[in-house]
Amino acid sequence: MIPEQVPRVAVIGGGAAGFFGAIACAEIANGQMDISIFEMGSNFLTKVKISGGGRCNVTNGLENTFDFSEHYPRGKRELIGPLSRWSQEDTVWWFRENGVELKTESDGRIFPVTDSSQTVIDCLTGVAKKKGIEAKNNCCVNRIDKSDEGSFRIWINDQDDPIEADYLLVATGGIRSAQSRNLLESMGHEFTSPVPSLFTFEIEDNRLTELSGLSVPSASVVIGHLGMKSVGPLLITHWGLSGPVILKLSALGARELEQLNYDFKIMVNWLGEEWKSKQLSQRIESERNLNGPRKIMKRSPIKEIPNRLWKRIVSKAEVTDDQTWSELTKQATLRIINSLIAEEFKVSGKSLNKSEFVTCGGVLLRDLDLRTMESRSVENLFFAGEVMDIDGLTGGFNFQSAWTTGRIAGEEIAQRCFSQT
Ligand SMILES: Cc1cc2nc3c(=O)[nH]c(=O)nc-3n(C[C@H](O)[C@H](O)[C@H](O)COP(=O)(O)OP(=O)(O)OC[C@H]3O[C@@H](n4cnc5c(N)ncnc54)[C@H](O)[C@@H]3O)c2cc1C
């Protein structure tokens, strides 16, 4: 039972940041605060549920804070301090303490050992309940203001009478809806305009259609006129290109690409960064000497790229089906090299990445004190999660930002409250 007249905390948004913030607050308050989460949907933690293809990529194993913060196109510099206070190690520790065993995959992504996001949901809702947090669904916050006495008045589901709270944590997620933006405006907070991040590139090109489903272990992709480059695994899909290398570029260029209406050119080096034209020419020459008249070119690819891609590239270089390596002409060699390290494609649109997408844009970071996540203009108003102008690359970085900012805001609210009583 919570004693009467205890400080009241309202958390708006029942997602990762809202739950983690409310729990952090409750862990310190130890029953001496009245903490409620208001969620407009009928379910809590819906994004956690669908995250990581239903497995929930909770965080990333990268240990160095500076390296970790490099994975945020927006928030890179600002997150260094917060991540030093609540790091990925703290997240892993917290989930283990609360019964969720985690595992790190070879690429650094961390998942629950159950491979089920429901484990994370059960943990967060279970801990919240144990700590006396009241999580209320179907409660859409439409309006907020501050009374003369300094408490917040919160209107839910357009009801006439507002509820009141002494501290407010806004964790409403990406600000793509007009309603979320109105709420921020009503509190006098500015935001950068929202655009999607983490999308795949739509490309209509026969050179790719025939390779649908193929993955290339390490390719480099350049958007020349924006001076952007990314290296990593590349996936060819039936609508274009995807995979970590593309998702990273989509995040780095989220604003610029939206301004181009997702109509731009990319240059693909199928071999990654390692091969330059001269080296490759020597490499092909040695392959030619090695294979000579015995091996058919189309059936004996260089080992760095998948067979199907090699076949397509040599066909385009006008190498015939029965041509052997010793019959390779100088011109065909040049064409092959060019296709391998500098193949141009025209992107004509974007598709949201099914396994993860986030909003680029949110509450201006300069208007927040990132040591506490408190608004610089409204006392006792805090923010956490994707509602802030912070977004990360794929790999668990977006949830880590939600855990970190939620944790710091929740702790600060409880500490502030007890230091004032
Ligand atoms: C398909 C998909 C997969 C993803 N997978 C991963 C992953 O594996 N790893 C990773 O790190 N990131 C992943 N992400 C990103 C990650 O889910 C988000 O960055 C994260 O959920 C942000 O947490 P949040 O609490 O700030 O916002 P949200 O999770 O969006 O929660 C905000 C909540 O606030 C509620 N709300 C909004 N407005 C109001 C209002 N006015 N009143 C009441 N409630 C309101 C919303 O209904 C929502 O439930 C994925 C995203 C998607 C879409």
Side-chain angles (χ1 to χ4, degrees):
M1 274 289 282
I2 297 166
E4 272 179 42
Q5 297 301 328
V6 295
R8 299 151 299 178
V9 183
V11 177
I12 310 180
F19 264 85
F20 217 58
I23 290 171
C25 190
E27 281 179 359
I28 294 176
N30 206 14
Q32 298 306 304
M33 293 180 94
D34 175 355
I35 306 167
S36 303
I37 299 174
F38 298 99
E39 165 56 48
M40 70 178 187
S42 46
N43 293 310
F44 300 107
L45 298 156
T46 48
K47 276 205 192 165
V48 171
K49 178 78 181 165
I50 56 170
S51 67
R55 296 201 297 145
C56 186
N57 180 190
V58 177
T59 184
N60 193 283
L62 212 55
E63 280 174 16
N64 181 290
T65 304
F66 291 95
D67 294 343
F68 205 99
S69 74
E70 281 297 315
H71 291 75
Y72 295 90
R74 268 83 31 199
K76 183 186 309 200
R77 196 172 40 83
E78 294 88 345
L79 266 180
I80 294 172
L83 283 170
S84 313
R85 274 189 59 192
W86 189 267
S87 66
Q88 55 85 13
E89 280 176 86
D90 296 316
T91 301
V92 171
W93 167 83
W94 188 91
F95 276 106
R96 285 209 172 121
E97 282 288 296
N98 287 283
V100 179
E101 206 52 50
L102 299 170
K103 58 170 177 182
T104 309
E105 302 207 328
S106 58
D107 58 5
R109 292 180 303 158
I110 295 182
F111 293 89
V113 291
T114 56
D115 279 327
S116 166
S117 56
Q118 192 59 43
T119 313
V120 177
I121 297 175
D122 292 344
C123 167
L124 292 170
T125 50
V127 173
K129 194 168 176 201
K130 214 160 74 193
K131 298 274 172 204
I133 296 165
E134 227 186 308
K136 301 175 184 180
N137 59 349
N138 298 315
C139 286
C140 180
V141 173
N142 314 107
R143 210 178 111 208
I144 299 164
D145 71 11
K146 231 179 166 186
S147 70
D148 295 339
E149 293 75 44
S151 62
F152 292 96
R153 290 184 300 195
I154 302 160
W155 279 265
I156 295 167
N157 296 340
D158 286 323
Q159 283 168 354
D160 291 338
D161 296 324
I163 60 135
E164 292 205 23
D166 305 294
Y167 299 90
L168 188 61
L169 173 56
V170 176
T172 45
I175 59 159
R176 265 184 265 182
S177 76
Q179 193 219 22
S180 314
R181 298 195 292 275
N182 291 343
L183 208 58
L184 297 179
E185 271 167 355
S186 75
M187 291 179 281
H189 264 276
E190 285 181 56
F191 45 82
T192 49
S193 61
V195 296
S197 181
L198 300 180
F199 48 85
T200 64
F201 294 172
E202 269 179 18
I203 300 170
E204 260 182 60
D205 193 310
N206 290 339
R207 289 172 295 169
L208 295 180
T209 323
E210 58 191 88
L211 298 176
S212 168
L214 200 73
S215 64
V216 179
S218 177
S220 103
V221 181
V222 174
I223 308 177
H225 68 292
L226 295 181
M228 287 173 187
K229 180 162 84 174
S230 165
V231 185
L234 177 69
L235 188 68
I236 303 173
T237 66
H238 60 272
W239 65 85
L241 292 176
S242 179
V245 67
I246 298 296
L247 297 175
K248 184 172 176 187
L249 274 181
S250 80
L252 295 177
R255 287 208 177 283
E256 292 86 346
L257 299 179
E258 193 249 1
Q259 270 158 23
L260 293 170
N261 202 18
Y262 307 104
D263 193 343
F264 55 97
K265 286 188 178 142
I266 56 169
M267 188 77 88
V268 178
N269 178 340
W270 299 103
L271 299 170
E273 281 203 302
E274 278 158 40
W275 295 93
K276 300 280 175 276
S277 172
K278 197 169 161 211
Q279 283 173 298
L280 194 54
S281 157
Q282 286 163 354
R283 171 72 210 280
I284 298 227
E285 189 53 32
S286 69
E287 202 80 24
R288 181 185 147 100
N289 293 337
L290 191 76
N291 296 323
R294 286 171 294 115
K295 286 201 176 162
I296 303 283
M297 276 200 73
K298 279 193 180 170
R299 279 192 241 132
S300 43
I302 57 167
K303 68 175 188 324
E304 286 81 5
I305 58 166
N307 207 346
R308 274 163 70 202
L309 177 59
W310 171 257
K311 237 183 183 164
R312 201 267 290 151
I313 283 175
V314 292
S315 297
K316 195 175 153 253
E318 289 166 24
V319 171
T320 55
D321 283 354
D322 53 359
Q323 202 168 319
T324 63
W325 273 92
S326 56
E327 290 164 329
L328 179 62
T329 64
K330 236 189 179 121
Q331 266 185 337
T333 306
L334 284 177
R335 282 197 287 259
I336 290 171
I337 290 174
N338 202 42
S339 295
L340 281 171
I341 64 172
E343 200 158 45
E344 193 178 85
F345 293 94
K346 189 179 171 308
V347 178
S348 55
K350 61 155 195 348
S351 303
L352 286 181
N353 167 35
K354 286 208 184 83
S355 63
E356 182 171 349
F357 49 86
V358 288
T359 304
C360 150
V363 175
L364 293 185
L365 299 184
R366 64 159 192 252
D367 295 341
L368 306 176
D369 180 348
L370 293 172
R371 290 168 303 178
T372 58
M373 306 301 149
E374 189 179 16
S375 157
R376 288 192 192 277
S377 51
V378 184
E379 203 185 357
N380 297 333
L381 169 63
F382 295 78
F383 291 90
E386 215 179 300
V387 69
M388 301 163 76
D389 190 12
I390 293 176
D391 60 273
L393 303 180
T394 51
F397 298 100
N398 283 299
F399 275 137
Q400 183 58 47
S401 153
W403 313 131
T404 293
T405 53
R407 184 76 203 181
I408 291 174
E411 281 183 1
E412 179 63 24
I413 293 171
Q415 276 155 4
R416 171 87 53 94
C417 162
F418 291 121
S419 71
Q420 281 171 357
T421 50

Coordinates of all heavy atoms in Angstrom, one line a residue, residues 34-95:
D34 N 4.0 7.5 -5.7 CA 2.9 6.9 -6.4 C 3.2 7.0 -7.9 O 3.2 8.1 -8.5 CB 1.6 7.7 -6.0 CG 0.4 7.4 -6.8 OD1 0.5 6.5 -7.7 OD2 -0.7 7.9 -6.5
I35 N 3.6 5.9 -8.5 CA 4.1 5.9 -9.9 C 3.0 5.2 -10.8 O 2.7 4.1 -10.6 CB 5.4 5.2 -10.0 CG1 6.4 5.8 -9.0 CG2 6.0 5.3 -11.4 CD1 7.7 4.9 -8.8
S36 N 2.6 6.0 -11.9 CA 1.7 5.4 -12.8 C 2.2 5.5 -14.3 O 2.9 6.5 -14.6 CB 0.3 6.1 -12.8 OG -0.2 6.1 -11.5
I37 N 2.0 4.5 -15.1 CA 2.3 4.6 -16.5 C 1.0 4.7 -17.3 O 0.1 3.9 -17.0 CB 3.1 3.3 -16.9 CG1 4.4 3.1 -16.2 CG2 3.3 3.3 -18.5 CD1 5.1 1.8 -16.5
F38 N 0.9 5.6 -18.2 CA -0.3 5.8 -19.0 C 0.1 5.4 -20.4 O 0.9 6.0 -21.1 CB -0.8 7.2 -18.9 CG -1.2 7.6 -17.6 CD1 -0.4 8.3 -16.8 CD2 -2.5 7.2 -17.0 CE1 -0.7 8.7 -15.5 CE2 -2.8 7.5 -15.7 CZ -2.0 8.3 -14.9
E39 N -0.6 4.4 -20.9 CA -0.3 3.9 -22.3 C -1.6 4.0 -23.1 O -2.6 3.5 -22.7 CB 0.2 2.4 -22.2 CG 0.2 1.7 -23.5 CD 1.0 2.3 -24.7 OE1 2.1 2.8 -24.4 OE2 0.5 2.5 -25.8
M40 N -1.4 4.6 -24.3 CA -2.7 4.8 -25.1 C -3.2 3.5 -25.8 O -4.3 3.3 -26.0 CB -2.5 5.9 -26.1 CG -1.5 5.6 -27.2 SD -1.5 7.0 -28.3 CE -0.6 6.4 -29.7
G41 N -2.3 2.6 -26.0 CA -2.7 1.3 -26.7 C -3.3 0.4 -25.7 O -3.2 0.6 -24.5
S42 N -3.8 -0.8 -26.2 CA -4.4 -1.7 -25.3 C -3.3 -2.7 -24.8 O -3.5 -3.4 -23.8 CB -5.5 -2.5 -26.0 OG -5.1 -2.9 -27.3
N43 N -2.1 -2.7 -25.4 CA -1.0 -3.5 -24.8 C 0.2 -2.6 -24.5 O 0.4 -1.6 -25.1 CB -0.6 -4.5 -25.9 CG -1.7 -5.5 -26.1 OD1 -2.2 -6.1 -25.2 ND2 -2.0 -5.7 -27.4
F44 N 1.0 -3.1 -23.6 CA 2.2 -2.4 -23.2 C 3.3 -3.0 -24.0 O 3.3 -4.2 -24.5 CB 2.5 -2.6 -21.7 CG 1.4 -2.1 -20.8 CD1 0.6 -3.0 -20.1 CD2 1.3 -0.7 -20.7 CE1 -0.4 -2.5 -19.3 CE2 0.3 -0.2 -19.9 CZ -0.6 -1.1 -19.2
L45 N 4.4 -2.3 -24.2 CA 5.7 -2.8 -24.7 C 5.5 -3.4 -26.1 O 6.1 -4.5 -26.4 CB 6.3 -3.7 -23.7 CG 6.7 -3.1 -22.4 CD1 6.8 -4.1 -21.3 CD2 8.0 -2.3 -22.5
T46 N 4.6 -2.8 -26.9 CA 4.3 -3.5 -28.2 C 5.6 -3.5 -29.2 O 5.7 -4.5 -29.9 CB 3.2 -2.8 -29.0 OG1 3.5 -1.4 -28.9 CG2 1.9 -3.0 -28.3
K47 N 6.4 -2.5 -29.0 CA 7.6 -2.6 -29.9 C 8.6 -3.6 -29.4 O 9.3 -4.2 -30.2 CB 8.3 -1.2 -30.0 CG 7.6 -0.3 -31.0 CD 8.6 0.7 -31.5 CE 7.9 1.8 -32.3 NZ 8.7 3.0 -32.5
V48 N 8.7 -3.7 -28.1 CA 9.6 -4.8 -27.6 C 9.1 -6.1 -28.1 O 9.9 -7.0 -28.6 CB 9.6 -4.8 -26.0 CG1 10.3 -6.0 -25.5 CG2 10.2 -3.5 -25.5
K49 N 7.8 -6.3 -28.2 CA 7.2 -7.6 -28.6 C 7.7 -7.9 -30.1 O 8.1 -9.1 -30.3 CB 5.7 -7.5 -28.6 CG 4.9 -8.7 -29.1 CD 4.9 -9.8 -28.1 CE 4.2 -11.0 -28.6 NZ 4.5 -12.2 -27.7
I50 N 7.6 -6.9 -31.0 CA 8.0 -7.2 -32.4 C 9.5 -7.1 -32.7 O 9.9 -7.3 -33.8 CB 7.2 -6.4 -33.4 CG1 7.4 -4.9 -33.1 CG2 5.7 -6.7 -33.3 CD1 6.8 -3.9 -34.1
S51 N 10.2 -6.6 -31.7 CA 11.6 -6.2 -31.9 C 12.5 -7.4 -32.3 O 12.2 -8.6 -31.8 CB 12.2 -5.5 -30.7 OG 12.3 -6.4 -29.6
G52 N 13.5 -7.2 -33.0 CA 14.5 -8.2 -33.3 C 13.9 -9.4 -33.9 O 14.3 -10.6 -33.6
G53 N 12.8 -9.3 -34.8 CA 12.1 -10.4 -35.3 C 11.5 -11.3 -34.3 O 11.4 -12.5 -34.4
G54 N 11.0 -10.6 -33.2 CA 10.3 -11.4 -32.1 C 11.3 -11.9 -31.1 O 10.9 -12.6 -30.1
R55 N 12.6 -11.6 -31.2 CA 13.6 -12.1 -30.3 C 14.1 -11.0 -29.3 O 14.7 -11.3 -28.3 CB 14.8 -12.7 -31.0 CG 14.5 -13.9 -31.9 CD 15.8 -14.7 -32.1 NE 16.8 -13.9 -32.9 CZ 18.1 -14.0 -32.7 NH1 18.6 -14.9 -31.8 NH2 18.9 -13.4 -33.5
C56 N 13.9 -9.7 -29.7 CA 14.3 -8.6 -28.9 C 15.8 -8.5 -28.7 O 16.4 -9.1 -27.8 CB 13.6 -8.5 -27.5 SG 14.0 -6.9 -26.7
N57 N 16.4 -7.7 -29.6 CA 17.8 -7.4 -29.5 C 18.0 -6.3 -28.4 O 18.0 -5.1 -28.7 CB 18.3 -6.9 -30.9 CG 19.8 -6.6 -30.9 OD1 20.2 -6.0 -31.9 ND2 20.5 -6.9 -29.9
V58 N 18.2 -6.8 -27.2 CA 18.1 -5.9 -26.0 C 19.2 -4.8 -25.9 O 18.9 -3.7 -25.6 CB 18.2 -6.8 -24.7 CG1 18.3 -6.0 -23.4 CG2 17.1 -7.8 -24.7
T59 N 20.4 -5.2 -26.3 CA 21.5 -4.2 -26.3 C 22.6 -4.8 -27.2 O 22.4 -5.8 -27.9 CB 22.0 -3.8 -24.9 OG1 22.9 -2.8 -25.0 CG2 22.5 -5.0 -24.1
N60 N 23.8 -4.2 -27.1 CA 24.9 -4.6 -27.9 C 26.1 -4.9 -26.9 O 26.3 -4.1 -26.0 CB 25.3 -3.6 -28.9 CG 26.2 -4.2 -30.0 OD1 27.4 -4.3 -29.7 ND2 25.7 -4.5 -31.1
G61 N 27.0 -5.8 -27.3 CA 28.1 -6.2 -26.4 C 29.3 -5.3 -26.5 O 30.3 -5.5 -25.8
L62 N 29.2 -4.3 -27.3 CA 30.4 -3.3 -27.5 C 30.6 -2.7 -26.1 O 29.8 -2.0 -25.6 CB 30.0 -2.3 -28.5 CG 31.1 -1.7 -29.4 CD1 31.8 -2.8 -30.1 CD2 30.4 -0.8 -30.4
E63 N 31.9 -2.9 -25.6 CA 32.0 -2.4 -24.2 C 32.5 -1.0 -24.0 O 32.2 -0.3 -23.1 CB 33.0 -3.3 -23.5 CG 32.3 -4.6 -23.0 CD 33.2 -5.6 -22.5 OE1 34.4 -5.3 -22.1 OE2 32.8 -6.8 -22.4
N64 N 33.3 -0.5 -25.0 CA 33.8 0.9 -24.9 C 32.7 1.9 -25.1 O 32.1 1.9 -26.2 CB 35.0 1.0 -25.8 CG 35.6 2.4 -25.7 OD1 35.0 3.4 -26.1 ND2 36.8 2.4 -25.2
T65 N 32.6 2.8 -24.2 CA 31.5 3.8 -24.3 C 31.6 4.7 -25.6 O 30.6 5.0 -26.2 CB 31.5 4.7 -23.1 OG1 31.3 3.9 -21.9 CG2 30.3 5.7 -23.1
F66 N 32.8 5.1 -25.9 CA 33.0 5.9 -27.0 C 32.7 5.2 -28.3 O 32.0 5.7 -29.2 CB 34.5 6.4 -27.1 CG 34.7 7.4 -26.0 CD1 35.3 7.0 -24.8 CD2 34.4 8.7 -26.1 CE1 35.6 7.9 -23.8 CE2 34.6 9.6 -25.1 CZ 35.2 9.2 -23.9
D67 N 33.1 3.9 -28.4 CA 32.8 3.1 -29.6 C 31.3 2.9 -29.6 O 30.7 2.9 -30.7 CB 33.5 1.7 -29.5 CG 35.0 1.8 -29.6 OD1 35.4 2.9 -30.0 OD2 35.7 0.9 -29.2
F68 N 30.7 2.7 -28.5 CA 29.2 2.5 -28.4 C 28.5 3.7 -28.9 O 27.6 3.6 -29.8 CB 28.8 2.2 -27.0 CG 27.5 1.4 -26.9 CD1 27.6 0.0 -26.6 CD2 26.3 2.0 -27.0 CE1 26.4 -0.7 -26.5 CE2 25.1 1.3 -26.9 CZ 25.2 -0.1 -26.6
S69 N 28.9 4.9 -28.5 CA 28.2 6.1 -28.8 C 28.3 6.4 -30.3 O 27.5 7.2 -30.9 CB 28.6 7.3 -28.0 OG 29.9 7.7 -28.4
E70 N 29.4 5.9 -30.9 CA 29.6 6.1 -32.4 C 28.4 5.5 -33.2 O 28.3 5.8 -34.4 CB 30.9 5.4 -32.9 CG 32.1 6.1 -32.6 CD 32.2 7.5 -33.3 OE1 31.9 7.5 -34.5 OE2 32.6 8.5 -32.6
H71 N 27.6 4.7 -32.6 CA 26.5 4.0 -33.3 C 25.2 4.8 -33.3 O 24.1 4.3 -33.6 CB 26.3 2.6 -32.8 CG 27.4 1.7 -33.1 ND1 28.6 1.8 -32.5 CD2 27.6 0.8 -34.1 CE1 29.5 0.9 -33.0 NE2 28.8 0.3 -34.0
Y72 N 25.3 6.1 -32.9 CA 24.1 7.0 -32.9 C 24.3 8.1 -33.9 O 25.0 9.1 -33.5 CB 23.8 7.5 -31.5 CG 23.5 6.4 -30.5 CD1 24.5 5.7 -29.8 CD2 22.2 6.0 -30.3 CE1 24.2 4.7 -28.9 CE2 21.9 4.9 -29.5 CZ 22.9 4.3 -28.8 OH 22.6 3.3 -27.9
P73 N 23.7 8.1 -35.0 CA 23.9 9.2 -36.0 C 23.4 10.5 -35.3 O 23.9 11.6 -35.6 CB 23.0 8.8 -37.2 CG 22.9 7.3 -37.1 CD 23.0 7.0 -35.6
R74 N 22.3 10.4 -34.5 CA 21.9 11.6 -33.8 C 22.0 11.2 -32.3 O 21.4 10.3 -31.8 CB 20.4 11.9 -34.0 CG 20.1 12.9 -35.1 CD 20.0 12.4 -36.5 NE 19.6 11.1 -36.8 CZ 19.9 10.5 -38.0 NH1 20.6 11.1 -38.9 NH2 19.5 9.2 -38.2
G75 N 22.8 12.0 -31.6 CA 23.0 11.7 -30.2 C 24.4 11.2 -29.8 O 24.7 10.9 -28.6
K76 N 25.3 11.0 -30.8 CA 26.6 10.4 -30.7 C 27.4 11.1 -29.5 O 27.8 10.5 -28.6 CB 27.4 10.7 -32.0 CG 28.7 10.1 -32.0 CD 29.4 10.5 -33.3 CE 28.5 10.2 -34.5 NZ 29.1 10.2 -35.8
R77 N 27.5 12.4 -29.6 CA 28.3 13.1 -28.6 C 27.6 13.2 -27.2 O 28.1 13.0 -26.2 CB 28.6 14.5 -29.1 CG 29.7 15.3 -28.5 CD 30.0 16.6 -29.2 NE 28.8 17.3 -29.8 CZ 28.0 18.1 -29.1 NH1 28.3 18.4 -27.8 NH2 26.9 18.7 -29.6
E78 N 26.3 13.5 -27.3 CA 25.5 13.8 -26.1 C 25.3 12.5 -25.3 O 25.1 12.6 -24.1 CB 24.1 14.3 -26.5 CG 24.1 15.7 -27.2 CD 24.3 15.7 -28.7 OE1 24.7 14.6 -29.2 OE2 24.1 16.7 -29.3
L79 N 25.3 11.3 -25.9 CA 25.1 10.1 -25.2 C 26.3 9.6 -24.4 O 26.1 8.7 -23.6 CB 24.6 9.0 -26.1 CG 23.0 8.9 -26.3 CD1 22.7 7.8 -27.2 CD2 22.4 8.6 -24.9
I80 N 27.5 10.2 -24.7 CA 28.7 9.6 -24.0 C 28.5 9.7 -22.5 O 28.7 8.7 -21.8 CB 29.9 10.4 -24.5 CG1 30.2 10.1 -25.9 CG2 31.2 9.9 -23.6 CD1 31.3 10.9 -26.6
G81 N 28.1 10.8 -22.0 CA 27.9 10.9 -20.5 C 26.8 10.0 -20.0 O 27.1 9.2 -19.1
P82 N 25.6 10.0 -20.5 CA 24.6 9.1 -20.1 C 25.0 7.6 -20.1 O 24.7 6.8 -19.2 CB 23.4 9.4 -21.0 CG 23.6 10.8 -21.4 CD 25.1 11.0 -21.4
L83 N 25.7 7.2 -21.3 CA 26.1 5.8 -21.4 C 27.2 5.5 -20.4 O 27.3 4.3 -20.0 CB 26.6 5.6 -22.8 CG 25.6 5.4 -23.9 CD1 26.2 5.4 -25.3 CD2 24.7 4.2 -23.7
S84 N 27.9 6.4 -19.9 CA 28.9 6.1 -18.9 C 28.2 5.9 -17.5 O 28.7 5.2 -16.7 CB 29.9 7.3 -18.6 OG 30.4 7.7 -19.9
R85 N 27.0 6.5 -17.4 CA 26.2 6.3 -16.1 C 25.4 5.0 -16.2 O 25.3 4.3 -15.2 CB 25.3 7.4 -15.9 CG 26.0 8.6 -15.2 CD 25.0 9.6 -14.7 NE 24.0 9.1 -13.9 CZ 22.9 9.9 -13.6 NH1 22.8 11.1 -14.1 NH2 21.9 9.4 -12.8
W86 N 24.8 4.7 -17.3 CA 24.0 3.4 -17.4 C 24.4 2.8 -18.8 O 23.9 3.2 -19.8 CB 22.5 3.7 -17.3 CG 21.8 2.3 -17.3 CD1 21.3 1.6 -18.3 CD2 21.6 1.5 -16.1 NE1 20.7 0.4 -17.8 CE2 20.9 0.4 -16.5 CE3 21.9 1.7 -14.7 CZ2 20.5 -0.6 -15.6 CZ3 21.5 0.7 -13.8 CH2 20.8 -0.4 -14.3
S87 N 25.4 1.8 -18.7 CA 25.9 1.3 -19.9 C 25.2 0.0 -20.3 O 24.3 -0.5 -19.6 CB 27.4 1.0 -19.7 OG 27.5 -0.1 -18.7
Q88 N 25.7 -0.6 -21.4 CA 25.1 -1.9 -21.8 C 25.4 -3.0 -20.8 O 24.6 -3.8 -20.6 CB 25.7 -2.3 -23.2 CG 27.2 -2.3 -23.4 CD 27.8 -3.7 -23.0 OE1 27.1 -4.6 -22.8 NE2 29.1 -3.7 -22.9
E89 N 26.6 -2.8 -20.1 CA 26.9 -3.8 -19.0 C 25.9 -3.7 -17.9 O 25.5 -4.7 -17.3 CB 28.3 -3.5 -18.5 CG 29.4 -4.1 -19.3 CD 30.7 -3.7 -18.8 OE1 31.3 -4.4 -17.9 OE2 31.3 -2.7 -19.2
D90 N 25.5 -2.5 -17.6 CA 24.5 -2.3 -16.5 C 23.1 -2.9 -17.0 O 22.4 -3.5 -16.2 CB 24.3 -0.8 -16.2 CG 25.5 -0.1 -15.7 OD1 26.1 -0.8 -14.8 OD2 25.9 0.9 -16.1
T91 N 22.8 -2.7 -18.3 CA 21.6 -3.3 -18.8 C 21.6 -4.8 -18.6 O 20.6 -5.5 -18.1 CB 21.4 -2.9 -20.2 OG1 21.3 -1.5 -20.3 CG2 20.1 -3.5 -20.8
V92 N 22.7 -5.4 -19.1 CA 22.8 -6.9 -19.0 C 22.7 -7.3 -17.5 O 22.0 -8.3 -17.2 CB 24.2 -7.3 -19.6 CG1 24.5 -8.8 -19.3 CG2 24.2 -7.1 -21.1
W93 N 23.4 -6.6 -16.6 CA 23.4 -6.9 -15.2 C 22.0 -6.8 -14.7 O 21.5 -7.7 -14.0 CB 24.3 -5.9 -14.4 CG 24.1 -6.0 -13.0 CD1 24.6 -6.9 -12.1 CD2 23.2 -5.1 -12.2 NE1 24.2 -6.6 -10.8 CE2 23.3 -5.5 -10.9 CE3 22.4 -4.0 -12.5 CZ2 22.6 -4.9 -9.8 CZ3 21.7 -3.4 -11.5 CH2 21.8 -3.8 -10.2
W94 N 21.3 -5.8 -15.0 CA 19.9 -5.6 -14.5 C 19.0 -6.7 -15.0 O 18.2 -7.2 -14.1 CB 19.3 -4.2 -15.0 CG 18.0 -3.9 -14.3 CD1 17.9 -3.2 -13.1 CD2 16.7 -4.3 -14.7 NE1 16.5 -3.1 -12.8 CE2 15.8 -3.8 -13.7 CE3 16.2 -5.0 -15.8 CZ2 14.4 -4.0 -13.8 CZ3 14.8 -5.2 -15.9 CH2 14.0 -4.7 -14.9
F95 N 19.0 -7.0 -16.2 CA 18.1 -8.1 -16.7 C 18.5 -9.4 -16.0 O 17.6 -10.2 -15.7 CB 18.1 -8.2 -18.2 CG 17.2 -7.2 -18.9 CD1 17.7 -6.0 -19.5 CD2 15.8 -7.4 -18.8 CE1 16.8 -5.1 -20.0 CE2 14.9 -6.5 -19.4 CZ 15.4 -5.3 -20.0

